[in-house]
Amino acid sequence: MKRIAVLTSGGDAPGMNAAIRAVVRTGLAKGWCMFGVRHGYAGLIAGEIFTLGARDVGGIIQQGGTMLGSARCPEFETVEGRMKALSQLCRHEIEALVVIGGNGSQAGAHALSLLGFPVVGVASTIDNDLYGSDVTIGVDTALNVSLEAIDRLKVTASSHHRAFLVEVMGRTCGYLALMAAIAGGADAVMIPEKETDPEVVATELRVAYDNGKAHAIVVVAEGARYNAEGMALYFQTHRERLGFELRMTRLGHVQRGGAPGSFDRLLGTLLGAAATERLADGKHGELVGLLKGEIAATPLAEVVTNRKTLDLGLLKLARTLAQ
Amino acid sequence: MKRIAVLTSGGDAPGMNAAIRAVVRTGLAKGWCMFGVRHGYAGLIAGEIFTLGARDVGGIIQQGGTMLGSARCPEFETVEGRMKALSQLCRHEIEALVVIGGNGSQAGAHALSLLGFPVVGVASTIDNDLYGSDVTIGVDTALNVSLEAIDRLKVTASSHHRAFLVEVMGRTCGYLALMAAIAGGADAVMIPEKETDPEVVATELRVAYDNGKAHAIVVVAEGARYNAEGMALYFQTHRERLGFELRMTRLGHVQRGGAPGSFDRLLGTLLGAAATERLADGKHGELVGLLKGEIAATPLAEVVTNRKTLDLGLLKLARTLAQ
Amino acid sequence: MKRIAVLTSGGDAPGMNAAIRAVVRTGLAKGWCMFGVRHGYAGLIAGEIFTLGARDVGGIIQQGGTMLGSARCPEFETVEGRMKALSQLCRHEIEALVVIGGNGSQAGAHALSLLGFPVVGVASTIDNDLYGSDVTIGVDTALNVSLEAIDRLKVTASSHHRAFLVEVMGRTCGYLALMAAIAGGADAVMIPEKETDPEVVATELRVAYDNGKAHAIVVVAEGARYNAEGMALYFQTHRERLGFELRMTRLGHVQRGGAPGSFDRLLGTLLGAAATERLADGKHGELVGLLKGEIAATPLAEVVTNRKTLDLGLLKLARTLAQ
Amino acid sequence: MKRIAVLTSGGDAPGMNAAIRAVVRTGLAKGWCMFGVRHGYAGLIAGEIFTLGARDVGGIIQQGGTMLGSARCPEFETVEGRMKALSQLCRHEIEALVVIGGNGSQAGAHALSLLGFPVVGVASTIDNDLYGSDVTIGVDTALNVSLEAIDRLKVTASSHHRAFLVEVMGRTCGYLALMAAIAGGADAVMIPEKETDPEVVATELRVAYDNGKAHAIVVVAEGARYNAEGMALYFQTHRERLGFELRMTRLGHVQRGGAPGSFDRLLGTLLGAAATERLADGKHGELVGLLKGEIAATPLAEVVTNRKTLDLGLLKLARTLAQ
């Protein structure tokens, strides 16, 4: 009988609980003993490892966040930290580990893997900046929360003939911002992958104003050169040119805490189940993700050395549609 | 046959459309001619007055914002501005005006009233700082939007063992913040009506942390002496004392643009209908609001000279419940 | 030190958990020992009584349903059943009981009270058919869930030029249906309190169709003489007269399980806290409810012998607004 | 300059408006003249064709349903009907048509195509039973509405120790039901593609009950041999075996009218834009859909002669996870 542990690491993402549940229940169905690790790598180092039964992961599929908790763990970035983690895994006789998380988490998974411990990663981050999965667990829900906010800002903007700068998350990745802009019918978008001159945005807003639009929305990625604050500052002295009165909103951590929608529940479930199946097939040192609409595994070595690219054709589409 | 106009003024509030619809349709049912004014007092001065039929206000009851638009209008604060407004009302042969809005709007309504023009006000502002209505149109929806955000922040806070400062709207009134704190199960709340020493909050957070709570929420009114930014600044150098990692979120204009819930749709409908009925009864110079669970009218003169008070007993209750 | 127990009984209602939390935490703040009873009167008879600490009621304010569970209990309607309940209360040295629920539950509370045991009721039922509270805990959320469904039905109805019959809950009370009709902008409404001839509805729908409306909504109370099924049957053979194609939807139990909105969380909190305060003041044999916008107590004897009436003026308003 | 028309047909689906907007605006960006057809093929036959400018499709991306309206049209299934449609297209000098809809709609598109008229189909139906697109526009939102209902039913079921039969849409396709079951953490699911003996469900429910689960959910596809009504009937006389009290809910048309989430807004936008691009490239007689995570075109001839299959491996997964 196998003894498998699962942890979540890095920023929490809606759907992580669905993944935990699927890892645990597919493992139990194989007759394995399943364990959870609290607070990510920090808990692993501290030996916060405990058994998980079928009932322990009941009623969590519809909840955001992660029931296992998460934490940043600088100590795990040191050799000493990793050796402590290994010795804890050893002490609890854990035979393999499933790591649910994004870039930093999978780098940790890769490090453990290089030390010879069997690890399978599950792609989960709302930033969608992880190589090895076209879409990661949490993105869809974060996007929906952002859209809900944008829809509401459009309502109040329309009542007052205003333009809103909306800053969405995504670290150095513009995926969330670009998708929120397209799905939110935004007038302009600023992402880190392709710098946009604020003057271009000014012109677009002016044109929208002159065309009689009742409001305008500019979606700004937090990692863009001009983020919402930067843009607000830039336009402070050029206000009259825009036509619209300008307001700024940073959506912040609210984007992270939504209850997972169907997409993230299903993705979490499918990837979690697949991670357990990979282990059952004797595979490890891989990340399980969604590639071209199908569940697929990518070696962790590849994951940590490649950078996911954003389809900039969508940026052009966003502009075409913002008429 | 009567000719009645309706306008919305000041910040938009969810439920204003329900009020517009009710004013118009109850008027039409009496055989009156109903008119809308675009962009509040600015549009009134500019003569943006147009007829409203039953179909024109169809399908708006479920929409946030105001279909009539709103705007700030410094000109209306001058005698000249008001005389222009009067002359436009005269030119369009309008016999009475319904003004849907908050403090500033009802001050304008009172001013017009003093000039002899029949005006009835309808109490609507998300800030709930208007004398003459225990709860105003828009408060319930704004509160629900805030709560939704707080619920989401609690989810991500729990995953990371964090405390969140959440700043909610309300200008100089702490109603929204206090209610959001009670309904959101917050650990502390800071309102303008009663200053709280940040040190007290620090102690409360520390106690919560030591009691093993997975997260903490502090709701801060935008008008509090220490707003979210102030609090974040204050704790920047005292961080270790809190236990929790501290994060800050300002909900901003998102609170304003929600689709009205049942309470605001019903309140908007009842107050709008009541405003028309007051005019039919030959009454004016009044604000229609909700007092002790019933629709009631208060003279505008009283409305503009009194300040609504907040029940500070609720502050004590909030503290009792935050165990 | 006092020992107080709390139970929920009858149909679950969103906000019951807020009430439980408030009862418990205000009691604990007084230094009392607080207890929960599982599964309503059935659990009381079975002696399912357990202590509740501050943490036990943490994180429940935002959850629908009741953490204590509920159940129907025919046995409690017998003298033997009640004596068993009393003996369990005695065995656990409980000094007073808080009963959160609607008509049946408060009848039980009254019965216990008549036997000499101190009981305070808290008004909670989505049906809003309980004398002693203008609005009961759960009504606002149930109404919002119904409205959300009505809004969605309007969307699909508009796309297909259809009329929808929507049946909402409320037992023999038309409150939910009437309010859903007003807030949902329905074209007609059928409630138990005032029978409507289906022919009148047919005419109203025909007029709406001929006026070019894209859709029509008829809200039907489950307790109306013609409920949704009855209406669908009635119109099966008269279809052509309506113009619109007719469809039927019964919202069912979904209305009950929503996450409580701000209104129900606040009402639950205020009534729960008030119930404990009444006991602290030595009062019992009462129901705590919301009367004319304020928390007020009504003798249980009065509650069980009176029937709440529905303001039929609102029915007229609903018709006026459905232009 | 090209003259292109777009219509929606069959059941409305959330995201259709995003598709209409994308078709129109990408066409306008090419300098084409864009037209809308009202009420599907019925409007085409009746010549309800009108120009669509950029502003006409503004503010619709976030709205459910279809701004163009839809209708069933038996006449279009006749040769005469199609010839009338062709002659209307000819009369308005339309050069190509985009048909947004599901199976019936694309059969119509194919028929027009066979008559020599350039048509491109866009895959949209909440039933997800259309060959040529792994997921169609509307499925994600319908699934989310279903899940929201299931989550609510679980809340009330838990309070009362009940089992709920939830019937979801999907015609003869079990996709929605199966996905709702997996994402909703259901205990059992019944789909048309694989008959399940009610006795098996009875056993599963009994096991769940005996394992101490507080509630149970059985998702039933409307097209399953035993739909919700059939199941309720079957268990009427075998009730005691289940342990749980059994209740039934049919979600009905509510599933159709949700506001589109991000997935359907993006899918609608991408497929709509792609349809216009296919026409620009001189392609037609095709359906544009999502295949293996990418936008791809499939000949309409293939679409109408093939039946999409459901991955029954997911049924096994659903069972494994329902522990």
Side-chain angles (χ1 to χ4, degrees):
Chain A
M1 201 204 330
K2 274 192 186 277
R3 295 167 61 89
I4 310 291
V6 56
L7 66 77
T8 50
S9 161
D12 61 307
M16 278 185 161
N17 280 327
I20 295 167
R21 174 179 176 269
V23 167
V24 169
R25 290 200 173 166
T26 47
L28 293 172
K30 291 178 189 305
W32 299 356
C33 278
M34 304 304 292
F35 296 84
V37 181
R38 267 195 234 290
H39 304 127
Y41 291 117
L44 187 57
I45 288 173
E48 298 186 65
I49 300 173
F50 57 104
T51 53
L52 281 173
R55 286 277 68 68
D56 297 321
V57 294
I60 64 168
I61 197 172
Q62 65 263 43
Q63 288 171 6
T66 159
M67 68 164 284
L68 293 175
S70 189
R72 280 180 302 170
C73 182
E75 189 182 357
F76 191 72
E77 288 165 36
T78 66
V79 178
E80 291 74 19
R82 285 169 197 162
M83 294 313 293
K84 278 193 207 164
L86 268 185
S87 101
Q88 290 286 7
L89 287 164
C90 191
R91 200 164 68 83
H92 288 82
E93 298 176 37
I94 303 298
E95 295 162 61
L97 180 69
V98 175
V99 172
I100 304 170
N103 267 320
S105 314
Q106 303 307 339
H110 183 51
L112 270 184
S113 200
L114 287 179
L115 293 172
F117 195 82
V119 188
V120 170
V122 170
S124 177
T125 162
I126 67 161
D127 301 319
N128 206 29
D129 59 353
L130 180 64
Y131 187 87
S133 198
D134 294 338
V135 184
T136 50
I137 300 167
V139 169
D140 180 73
T141 304
L143 196 47
N144 272 308
V145 173
S146 307
L147 271 182
E148 200 182 69
I150 289 171
D151 289 350
R152 285 175 178 158
L153 290 173
K154 284 162 91 166
V155 164
T156 185
S158 286
S159 298
H160 292 276
H161 223 80
R162 279 179 183 155
F164 270 93
L165 297 168
V166 193
E167 186 179 298
V168 303
M169 286 190 158
R171 293 175 192 246
T172 59
C173 174
Y175 182 90
L176 266 187
L178 182 50
M179 292 303 160
I182 294 176
D187 298 84
V189 58
M190 324 234 357
I191 55 174
E193 287 85 349
K194 182 147 178 56
E195 201 176 310
T196 309
D197 187 340
E199 278 309 303
V200 173
V201 175
T203 307
E204 281 168 349
L205 290 185
R206 185 75 221 184
V207 168
Y209 185 80
D210 291 341
N211 283 347
K213 289 194 77 166
H215 66 264
I217 298 288
V218 182
V219 178
V220 182
E222 62 174 335
R225 202 187 139 202
Y226 286 89
N227 61 6
E229 215 162 322
M231 288 287 285
L233 217 72
Y234 184 90
F235 285 121
Q236 208 154 29
T237 51
H238 308 253
R239 194 159 277 188
E240 63 290 343
R241 284 181 308 160
L242 301 180
F244 298 107
E245 232 188 306
L246 198 66
R247 288 286 186 284
M248 194 254 280
T249 293
R250 295 181 62 202
L251 298 186
H253 282 80
V254 171
Q255 290 162 90
R256 206 174 267 293
S262 60
F263 190 92
D264 283 324
R265 295 196 206 177
L266 289 170
L267 186 59
T269 299
L270 294 176
L271 295 189
T276 304
E277 294 300 338
R278 295 305 286 178
L279 288 172
D281 291 350
K283 310 285 184 183
H284 50 79
E286 301 175 336
L287 175 79
V288 176
L290 186 75
L291 292 174
K292 295 197 180 301
E294 296 189 339
I295 309 303
T298 308
L300 283 168
E302 229 177 276
V303 169
V304 299
T305 49
N306 282 276
R307 201 184 147 82
K308 192 183 204 162
T309 51
L310 187 62
D311 176 2
L312 290 178
L314 291 173
L315 189 59
K316 208 178 138 225
L317 178 64
R319 296 230 168 97
T320 301
L321 294 174
Q323 296 178 29
Chain B
M1 199 201 336
K2 275 194 185 276
R3 295 165 63 88
I4 310 292
V6 55
L7 66 78
T8 51
S9 162
D12 60 309
M16 280 185 161
N17 281 327
I20 295 168
R21 174 178 175 271
V23 167
V24 170
R25 290 200 176 168
T26 47
L28 293 173
K30 291 180 190 302
W32 299 355
C33 277
M34 304 305 292
F35 297 84
V37 181
R38 266 193 233 292
H39 304 125
Y41 291 117
L44 187 57
I45 288 173
E48 297 187 64
I49 300 173
F50 58 104
T51 54
L52 282 173
R55 285 278 69 67
D56 297 321
V57 294
I60 65 169
I61 197 171
Q62 66 263 43
Q63 288 171 6
T66 160
M67 68 163 286
L68 293 175
S70 190
R72 280 180 302 171
C73 182
E75 190 181 358
F76 191 72
E77 289 166 36
T78 67
V79 178
E80 291 76 17
R82 287 170 196 161
M83 295 313 293
K84 276 194 209 166
L86 269 186
S87 101
Q88 290 287 5
L89 286 165
C90 192
R91 198 163 69 82
H92 289 81
E93 297 175 40
I94 303 299
E95 294 163 63
L97 180 69
V98 176
V99 172
I100 304 169
N103 268 320
S105 315
Q106 302 307 339
H110 183 51
L112 270 184
S113 201
L114 286 180
L115 293 172
F117 195 83
V119 187
V120 170
V122 171
S124 177
T125 161
I126 67 162
D127 300 319
N128 207 29
D129 59 352
L130 180 64
Y131 187 87
S133 198
D134 294 338
V135 184
T136 49
I137 301 167
V139 170
D140 179 73
T141 305
L143 196 47
N144 272 309
V145 172
S146 306
L147 272 181
E148 198 183 72
I150 289 171
D151 289 350
R152 284 175 179 157
L153 291 173
K154 283 162 91 167
V155 165
T156 185
S158 286
S159 298
H160 291 277
H161 224 79
R162 281 181 182 152
F164 270 92
L165 298 169
V166 193
E167 187 180 298
V168 304
M169 284 189 160
R171 294 171 190 249
T172 60
C173 175
Y175 182 90
L176 266 186
L178 183 50
M179 293 302 160
I182 295 176
D187 298 84
V189 59
M190 324 232 0
I191 56 174
E193 287 84 352
K194 182 149 178 56
E195 200 176 311
T196 308
D197 188 338
E199 278 309 302
V200 173
V201 175
T203 308
E204 281 168 349
L205 290 184
R206 185 75 220 185
V207 168
Y209 185 80
D210 291 341
N211 283 347
K213 289 194 74 167
H215 66 263
I217 298 288
V218 182
V219 177
V220 183
E222 63 174 334
R225 200 187 140 203
Y226 287 89
N227 62 6
E229 215 161 323
M231 287 287 284
L233 217 71
Y234 183 90
F235 285 122
Q236 207 154 30
T237 52
H238 308 253
R239 192 160 281 190
E240 63 291 344
R241 286 179 307 159
L242 301 180
F244 297 107
E245 233 188 304
L246 197 66
R247 289 284 187 284
M248 192 255 279
T249 293
R250 298 181 61 202
L251 298 186
H253 282 82
V254 170
Q255 289 162 90
R256 206 176 268 293
S262 60
F263 190 92
D264 283 324
R265 295 196 206 178
L266 289 171
L267 185 58
T269 298
L270 294 177
L271 295 189
T276 304
E277 294 300 340
R278 295 305 285 176
L279 288 173
D281 290 351
K283 310 282 184 185
H284 49 80
E286 302 175 335
L287 175 79
V288 176
L290 186 76
L291 291 174
K292 295 199 181 297
E294 296 189 339
I295 308 303
T298 308
L300 282 168
E302 228 178 275
V303 169
V304 299
T305 50
N306 282 277
R307 202 183 147 83
K308 191 184 205 161
T309 52
L310 187 61
D311 176 3
L312 290 178
L314 291 173
L315 190 59
K316 207 178 137 225
L317 179 64
R319 294 230 169 97
T320 301
L321 294 174
Q323 296 177 31
Chain C
M1 197 201 334
K2 274 193 185 275
R3 295 166 62 88
I4 310 291
V6 55
L7 67 77
T8 50
S9 162
D12 60 308
M16 279 186 161
N17 281 326
I20 294 168
R21 173 179 176 270
V23 167
V24 170
R25 291 201 172 165
T26 46
L28 292 173
K30 290 179 190 303
W32 298 356
C33 277
M34 304 304 291
F35 297 84
V37 181
R38 266 194 233 292
H39 304 124
Y41 292 116
L44 187 57
I45 288 173
E48 298 186 62
I49 300 174
F50 57 103
T51 54
L52 281 173
R55 286 278 69 67
D56 296 322
V57 294
I60 65 168
I61 198 172
Q62 66 264 42
Q63 287 171 8
T66 159
M67 67 163 289
L68 294 174
S70 189
R72 280 179 303 170
C73 182
E75 190 182 358
F76 192 71
E77 289 166 37
T78 68
V79 178
E80 292 74 20
R82 286 169 196 161
M83 295 313 293
K84 277 194 208 165
L86 268 186
S87 102
Q88 290 286 5
L89 286 165
C90 191
R91 199 164 69 83
H92 289 81
E93 298 175 38
I94 303 298
E95 295 163 61
L97 180 68
V98 176
V99 172
I100 304 169
N103 268 320
S105 315
Q106 303 307 338
H110 183 52
L112 270 184
S113 200
L114 286 180
L115 293 171
F117 195 83
V119 188
V120 170
V122 170
S124 177
T125 161
I126 67 162
D127 300 319
N128 207 29
D129 58 352
L130 180 64
Y131 186 88
S133 198
D134 294 338
V135 184
T136 49
I137 301 167
V139 170
D140 179 74
T141 305
L143 196 47
N144 272 308
V145 173
S146 306
L147 272 181
E148 197 183 73
I150 290 171
D151 289 351
R152 284 175 180 157
L153 290 173
K154 283 162 92 167
V155 164
T156 184
S158 285
S159 298
H160 291 277
H161 222 78
R162 280 180 183 153
F164 270 92
L165 298 169
V166 193
E167 187 180 299
V168 304
M169 284 189 160
R171 293 173 190 248
T172 60
C173 174
Y175 182 90
L176 266 186
L178 183 50
M179 293 303 161
I182 295 176
D187 298 84
V189 58
M190 327 240 345
I191 56 174
E193 287 85 351
K194 183 147 176 56
E195 200 176 310
T196 308
D197 188 339
E199 279 309 302
V200 173
V201 175
T203 308
E204 280 167 349
L205 290 184
R206 185 75 220 184
V207 168
Y209 185 81
D210 290 341
N211 283 348
K213 289 193 74 165
H215 66 264
I217 297 287
V218 182
V219 178
V220 183
E222 62 174 336
R225 197 183 145 207
Y226 286 89
N227 61 6
E229 216 162 320
M231 288 287 284
L233 217 71
Y234 184 90
F235 285 122
Q236 207 154 30
T237 51
H238 307 252
R239 192 158 280 187
E240 63 290 343
R241 285 179 306 160
L242 302 180
F244 297 108
E245 231 189 306
L246 197 66
R247 288 283 187 284
M248 193 253 281
T249 293
R250 297 181 61 201
L251 298 185
H253 283 81
V254 171
Q255 290 162 89
R256 207 174 266 295
S262 60
F263 189 93
D264 283 325
R265 295 196 204 178
L266 290 170
L267 185 58
T269 298
L270 294 175
L271 295 189
T276 304
E277 294 301 340
R278 295 304 287 177
L279 288 173
D281 291 350
K283 309 283 185 184
H284 50 81
E286 301 175 336
L287 174 80
V288 176
L290 186 76
L291 291 174
K292 296 199 181 295
E294 297 190 339
I295 309 303
T298 308
L300 283 168
E302 227 177 278
V303 169
V304 300
T305 50
N306 282 277
R307 204 184 145 83
K308 191 185 206 162
T309 52
L310 187 62
D311 176 3
L312 290 179
L314 292 173
L315 190 59
K316 208 179 136 224
L317 178 64
R319 295 230 169 95
T320 301
L321 294 174
Q323 296 177 30
Chain D
M1 200 202 332
K2 273 192 186 277
R3 296 166 63 88
I4 310 290
V6 56
L7 66 78
T8 50
S9 161
D12 61 307
M16 279 184 160
N17 280 327
I20 295 167
R21 175 179 175 268
V23 166
V24 169
R25 291 202 174 165
T26 46
L28 292 173
K30 290 179 189 305
W32 299 355
C33 278
M34 304 304 292
F35 297 84
V37 181
R38 269 195 231 290
H39 304 124
Y41 291 118
L44 187 57
I45 288 174
E48 298 186 64
I49 299 174
F50 58 103
T51 54
L52 282 173
R55 286 278 69 68
D56 297 321
V57 294
I60 65 168
I61 196 171
Q62 66 263 44
Q63 288 171 6
T66 160
M67 68 164 285
L68 294 175
S70 189
R72 279 180 304 170
C73 183
E75 190 182 357
F76 191 73
E77 288 165 36
T78 66
V79 178
E80 291 75 19
R82 287 170 195 159
M83 295 314 293
K84 278 194 207 164
L86 269 186
S87 101
Q88 290 286 7
L89 287 165
C90 191
R91 199 164 69 83
H92 289 82
E93 297 176 40
I94 304 299
E95 294 162 63
L97 180 68
V98 175
V99 172
I100 303 170
N103 267 318
S105 314
Q106 303 306 338
H110 182 52
L112 269 186
S113 201
L114 287 179
L115 292 173
F117 195 83
V119 187
V120 170
V122 170
S124 177
T125 162
I126 67 162
D127 301 319
N128 206 30
D129 59 351
L130 180 64
Y131 187 88
S133 198
D134 294 338
V135 185
T136 50
I137 300 166
V139 170
D140 180 73
T141 304
L143 196 47
N144 273 309
V145 172
S146 307
L147 272 181
E148 199 182 69
I150 290 172
D151 289 351
R152 285 176 179 158
L153 290 173
K154 282 163 91 168
V155 165
T156 185
S158 286
S159 299
H160 292 276
H161 223 79
R162 280 181 182 152
F164 269 93
L165 298 168
V166 194
E167 187 179 299
V168 304
M169 285 189 159
R171 294 174 191 244
T172 60
C173 175
Y175 182 90
L176 266 186
L178 182 50
M179 293 304 161
I182 295 176
D187 298 84
V189 58
M190 324 232 1
I191 55 173
E193 287 84 351
K194 182 147 178 52
E195 201 176 311
T196 308
D197 187 339
E199 278 308 302
V200 172
V201 174
T203 307
E204 280 167 350
L205 290 184
R206 184 76 220 183
V207 168
Y209 184 80
D210 291 340
N211 283 348
K213 289 194 75 166
H215 66 263
I217 298 288
V218 182
V219 178
V220 182
E222 62 174 336
R225 202 189 138 201
Y226 286 89
N227 61 6
E229 214 161 323
M231 288 286 285
L233 216 71
Y234 184 90
F235 285 122
Q236 208 153 31
T237 52
H238 308 252
R239 193 160 278 189
E240 65 290 343
R241 284 180 308 159
L242 301 180
F244 297 108
E245 233 189 304
L246 198 66
R247 288 285 186 283
M248 193 254 278
T249 293
R250 296 181 64 203
L251 299 186
H253 283 79
V254 171
Q255 290 162 88
R256 205 175 270 293
S262 59
F263 190 92
D264 282 325
R265 295 197 206 176
L266 289 171
L267 186 59
T269 298
L270 293 176
L271 296 189
T276 304
E277 294 300 339
R278 296 304 286 178
L279 289 172
D281 291 351
K283 309 284 182 183
H284 51 79
E286 301 175 336
L287 175 79
V288 176
L290 185 76
L291 292 173
K292 295 195 180 301
E294 297 189 339
I295 309 303
T298 307
L300 283 168
E302 229 178 276
V303 169
V304 298
T305 51
N306 281 277
R307 201 183 147 83
K308 192 185 207 161
T309 52
L310 187 61
D311 176 1
L312 290 178
L314 292 173
L315 189 58
K316 209 178 137 225
L317 178 64
R319 296 229 168 97
T320 300
L321 294 174
Q323 295 178 33

